[in-house]
Amino acid sequence: MPSFKVLIPSLLALTLAACAGKGDFDETGGIKIVRSACPAIAIPAFTGDVTLFNPATSRDASAIDVVATLTNVRTTCNDGGEAGTQITATANFDVLARRTNASGARDVVLPYFATVTRAGSEIKSKQIGQIALRFEDGQLRAQTAAMATASISKAEATLPPAVEERLNRKRKAGDADAAVDPMTEPTIRNAVSKASFELLVGFQLTNDQLAYNATR
């Protein structure tokens, strides 16, 4: 999808923050870093909503026909346990839509994507699905639920033992490296990035729809 050349760099900071883990304190007062091999899940910029126009070529506010928003994303992750080789992540989300003309029953079908990326920019897989919305006669609003699932290699999402040890090594106040975040080291940061996956979901927009979202 051409738009990912623009969207993925804007997600890089979010991706690293979500996948690299967070600082915390252990029972002895030492600092530890908690990291999950499960992919971060996000909606890329400008793909969380879509606007349909009538006529389709118009961009006037008076021509807005249907507006839909992808929201309320919930995630589950199964790392397969000790013997598992695959990690499965599922994103469940809602789609809320509003039309400007309540006359007559109407079905609207919107395409959406589910893309797995690695290290913030490498696209590993992409699937396209469809979201069906039903407007009953006299109703301006419609809602439905949808889901996307990703399966990634547990080996690729697992940090090398040396990197894992460096991240998890207890650091206490007074230690020479107590104030040094291991993520500032290029080798550690690169290893974490390489082992970090993301499941991105959003509407599959045309170039015109993407431009409209980005500039409105």
Side-chain angles (χ1 to χ4, degrees), residues 27-48:
E27 63 279 1
T28 67
I31 299 173
K32 62 181 179 181
I33 292 179
V34 180
R35 178 189 181 273
S36 172
C38 292
I41 298 181
I43 302 172
F46 311 127
T47 68

Side-chain angles (χ1 to χ4, degrees), residues 98 165 197 201:
R98 174 177 50 84
E165 189 280 332
F197 289 78
V201 295

Side-chain angles (χ1 to χ4, degrees), residues 1-22:
M1 187 174 77
S3 57
F4 273 100
K5 293 181 180 179
V6 175
L7 298 174
I8 290 203
S10 68
L11 282 171
L12 185 57
L14 178 150
T15 296
L16 293 179
C19 294
K22 62 180 181 179

Side-chain angles (χ1 to χ4, degrees), residues 77-137:
C77 182
N78 182 355
D79 66 5
E82 290 292 334
T85 60
Q86 295 293 116
I87 296 173
T88 302
T90 301
N92 292 279
F93 53 91
D94 297 327
V95 176
L96 311 180
R98 174 177 50 84
R99 62 175 177 169
T100 56
N101 185 349
S103 177
R106 181 182 177 188
D107 293 313
V108 175
V109 178
L110 301 172
Y112 74 99
F113 66 85
T115 298
V116 176
T117 65
R118 183 183 189 184
S121 59
E122 178 187 351
I123 297 178
K124 299 291 289 185
S125 66
K126 179 180 178 181
Q127 295 180 332
I128 302 295
Q130 292 187 326
I131 299 168
L133 293 156
R134 173 71 176 181
F135 293 95
E136 298 297 342
D137 184 25

Side-chain angles (χ1 to χ4, degrees), residues 8-213:
I8 290 203
S10 68
L11 282 171
L12 185 57
L14 178 150
T15 296
L16 293 179
C19 294
K22 62 180 181 179
D24 204 348
F25 292 94
D26 63 20
E27 63 279 1
T28 67
I31 299 173
K32 62 181 179 181
I33 292 179
V34 180
R35 178 189 181 273
S36 172
C38 292
I41 298 181
I43 302 172
F46 311 127
T47 68
D49 56 85
V50 59
T51 302
L52 306 182
F53 292 87
N54 185 19
T57 55
S58 175
R59 289 300 177 265
D60 294 336
S62 60
I64 292 177
D65 181 23
V66 176
V67 177
T69 302
L70 193 156
T71 187
N72 194 25
V73 180
R74 295 93 61 196
T75 66
T76 58
C77 182
N78 182 355
D79 66 5
E82 290 292 334
T85 60
Q86 295 293 116
I87 296 173
T88 302
T90 301
N92 292 279
F93 53 91
D94 297 327
V95 176
L96 311 180
R98 174 177 50 84
R99 62 175 177 169
T100 56
N101 185 349
S103 177
R106 181 182 177 188
D107 293 313
V108 175
V109 178
L110 301 172
Y112 74 99
F113 66 85
T115 298
V116 176
T117 65
R118 183 183 189 184
S121 59
E122 178 187 351
I123 297 178
K124 299 291 289 185
S125 66
K126 179 180 178 181
Q127 295 180 332
I128 302 295
Q130 292 187 326
I131 299 168
L133 293 156
R134 173 71 176 181
F135 293 95
E136 298 297 342
D137 184 25
Q139 292 185 342
L140 289 173
R141 299 182 183 277
Q143 178 176 347
T144 192
M147 64 178 291
T149 300
S151 182
I152 63 176
S153 166
K154 189 172 183 177
E156 291 183 342
T158 301
L159 291 172
V163 175
E164 191 78 41
E165 189 280 332
R166 180 71 180 88
L167 288 172
N168 293 331
R169 183 162 57 86
K170 296 178 181 179
R171 295 174 291 146
K172 297 182 180 180
D175 290 348
D177 63 349
V180 179
D181 182 353
M183 284 296 292
T184 61
E185 301 178 20
T187 55
I188 301 296
R189 186 169 60 251
N190 291 339
V192 170
S193 177
K194 186 177 180 180
S196 296
F197 289 78
E198 305 82 40
L199 171 57
L200 308 178
V201 295
F203 289 112
Q204 178 68 21
L205 304 176
T206 65
N207 288 336
D208 286 343
Q209 289 171 332
L210 185 63
Y212 174 79
N213 284 355

